[in-house]
Structure formats: structure tokens, C-alpha cells
Amino acid sequence: MKSTAKAHANIALCKYWGKRDSRLNLPAVGSISMTLQALSTQTAVDFRDDLPADRLILNGKPASERACRRVSDFLDVLRREAGVKLHAQVDSRNEFPTGAGLASSASSFAALSAAAAHALGLNYPKPRLSQLARRGSGSAARSIFGGFVEMQAGQSPSGEDALAVQLYDEHYWPLEMVILITDPARKKIGSTEGMNLTAETSPYYRAWIDSSGKDLAEVRQALAQKDFEKLGELTEFSCLKMHALALAARPGLLYWNGTTVQLLHEVRRLRAAGLLIFFTVDAGPQVKVLCLPGEGQKVKARLTGMPGVHDILVSTIGPGVTLVDD
Ligand code: DP6
């Protein structure tokens, strides 16, 4: 009853922010992302009869009680589905600089879903794994697939239609992403808390929900046409729209630091000077820059040396979750 899986992180080009059901973790809006080759998590799950409780090891060290509880609650869902009561040892390793301040919940829960389901003998196809990963983290539902992926908000109260689908695989259009670390510390207000506060207090939340269908349709179209300028413009729009919404929460959610803002201006300055790049930012201060195929290293070189930048990673587009032989 042991299995290991590897999954990659993803960055949303059209953002998810807000839930229509917190218990089942159903998103209020759909989203579209790109899976990243350079950021991955490998997770081994071992269900055993000698454990009094679940045990979580993160990058070689026992995890916090909070992280343990989140994983245990998630495993409960699977234990119910499999009719099993055993506890598990979960050993999860991020294959990207730890403490880089990069969210790993997407790759972690995607890898955990595949490994745990397989260890329990549940032969789930990817759409079912995506639904399962969503219970752990909304963005994890997208990391089940490689390439360009759409998370569907769905309408059903049971969440059977709230799952991700692959729009195009990783060979369709090998765009790249440059990730600039402006603060290696963990973010102070996590996505779950941030989006719930936004839904409760931001006056722009209704408009965000009402306009999301149009944003998704436009991103789908830009991908279908491989229209990079259009895709980039929509990516910046979705990012700024999400942050505007979160800034208007009470108290306002200010995820950016000074370097974040300087980088956004720098991306636009370089673009005006002829380098076709676009930014996006998630619930933290790191800046992600969308680049044309083969341009990541060049963009990294142009952004190297900016004050306040701790590290720069370059990623190509990556694959979906896979089982790893032990
Ligand atoms: C800003 O998937 O981390 O990265 O479902 O509560 O775990 P939970 O939230 P999470 O939120 C991701 C928010 C985002 C945008 C995105 O990835 O779409």
C-alpha cells in the first residue's frame, strides 16, 4: 500500500480567486493555467497498520501540525472512498528551492492525490484525480495535467463538474516563464484566507464573478490562435484585476512589496523597448514573467541585477502528474 508520484506546479494566466463552496472547495470562477517543468514535488505515501496517526515529512523534516492536519483531512476523503482506516506516512519533497516563497500546494496536492489513490488500489483516471486534488487545493486540480489547463468552476452542489481539463498538452506551444523571487519568506495571508476575506468584504467581488466567463473565453481564444500578445495582455489583466479585488477587501490584501512593483514597471518598460514579455503575480510578492518559446534565458539576463531580487528561475512548460517507480 505504497506509492510515489511526481507533479509540477502551475501558474494561472486567468486567475482563480473565490469559492462557491468552502467545504468541498468548489471554485467560484474557472481559471486557466500553464504547468511548469522547473517546479515539481515528489510525494511518497505509505499506508501502514503500525501508525497511530498520519505522519507528514516535508523536505526531510516533520511538518507543522497545521500542515499535517490539512493532509490528514485530505487523506480522510480517500480513506472513505476506499473503505480503509489505515494511517499513512507521507514523505514530500519539493524539487525547487525551498523557502523560495513559492506556493507548493498545487504540485503537492496533485502528487499526493495520485500517490495516495494508487497506494489504496483506486485506479482513478485523471479527471477523477483532478476532482480529488481540488479537495486539497483548488489550483492542485490543474496540476494533474500538463501544458495549458482549464479548471471548470462547475455548477453542481456535489462538485462533480468542478474539475480541470487539459486544453493543450505541453508540446502545443512551448512558452516559458521566468520567476523572480523578491521575498523568500512564506506569505503571511494564504490564498484560502485571502480569497474568503475578499468574498466577504470586497465590493468588487460580484463584478469579478460576473465577468469571469468573458475572460476565460478570451484566454481560450488567444491560446487557440497562439496569439502571444493577446494572451499576455489578458494575463496581466487577470492578475491586476484579481489584485484590485483583493486590495479592496477589508482589511485590504496587499501581497506586493516594493520590488514587486518595480518589476511590473520594468516588464512594461522592456516591452515598450521591444521585448515581448508579460507579468503575473499570485498571492505573494514574487513576479512571474510570461515569455515566448526559447526566450526565458534571455529575459532572465535582462532582469538580472535588479535590486531586491533574490533569485531568478526559468521554466519551460511541463507535464502532468505521473507515478514514479519505487
Ligand atoms: C492566486 O489553490 O492556493 O494562485 O483552493 O484555497 O487552496 P485553495 O487556494 P489556492 O489558490 C490559488 C490562487 C492563485 C490564483 C490561481 O492559481 O489561480
Side-chain angles (χ1 to χ4, degrees), residues 225-255:
Q225 296 171 343
K226 294 192 185 172
D227 184 338
F228 187 69
E229 282 199 62
K230 182 89 184 130
L231 182 67
E233 189 269 322
L234 289 163
T235 298
E236 286 194 4
F237 172 59
S238 177
C239 158
L240 293 173
K241 191 174 174 183
M242 182 198 103
H243 284 275
L245 172 78
L247 280 164
R250 295 177 81 167
L253 293 162
L254 183 49
Y255 284 111

Side-chain angles (χ1 to χ4, degrees), residues 192-210:
T192 309
E193 199 188 330
M195 64 177 82
N196 289 339
L197 178 74
T198 303
E200 283 157 23
T201 62
S202 176
Y204 306 145
Y205 188 64
R206 192 68 249 165
W208 166 256
I209 307 281
D210 291 346

Side-chain angles (χ1 to χ4, degrees), residues 10-19 25-27 29-33 70 103-106 109 133-142 151 187 190-196 208 238 242-243 255 280-284 288:
N10 69 77
I11 300 294
L13 308 176
C14 196
K15 303 290 186 197
Y16 150 51
W17 198 250
K19 301 175 194 289
N25 203 28
L26 306 178
V29 295
S31 52
I32 296 177
S33 62
R70 193 168 171 193
S104 60
S105 67
F109 278 103
R134 188 204 71 230
R135 297 289 293 263
S137 188
S139 51
R142 300 186 307 238
M151 175 69 194
K187 62 189 168 203
S191 309
T192 309
E193 199 188 330
M195 64 177 82
N196 289 339
W208 166 256
S238 177
M242 182 198 103
H243 284 275
Y255 284 111
T280 186
V281 187
D282 292 300
K288 290 106 184 186

Side-chain angles (χ1 to χ4, degrees), residues 7-59:
H8 296 260
N10 69 77
I11 300 294
L13 308 176
C14 196
K15 303 290 186 197
Y16 150 51
W17 198 250
K19 301 175 194 289
R20 64 180 173 91
D21 180 306
S22 283
R23 195 182 62 84
L24 294 171
N25 203 28
L26 306 178
V29 295
S31 52
I32 296 177
S33 62
M34 170 175 159
T35 303
L36 298 185
Q37 171 66 39
L39 310 182
S40 64
T41 301
Q42 186 155 315
T43 302
V45 182
D46 188 5
F47 286 93
R48 292 176 6 198
D49 56 12
D50 62 338
L51 293 175
D54 294 319
R55 197 185 284 168
L56 173 64
I57 315 286
L58 274 184
N59 302 310

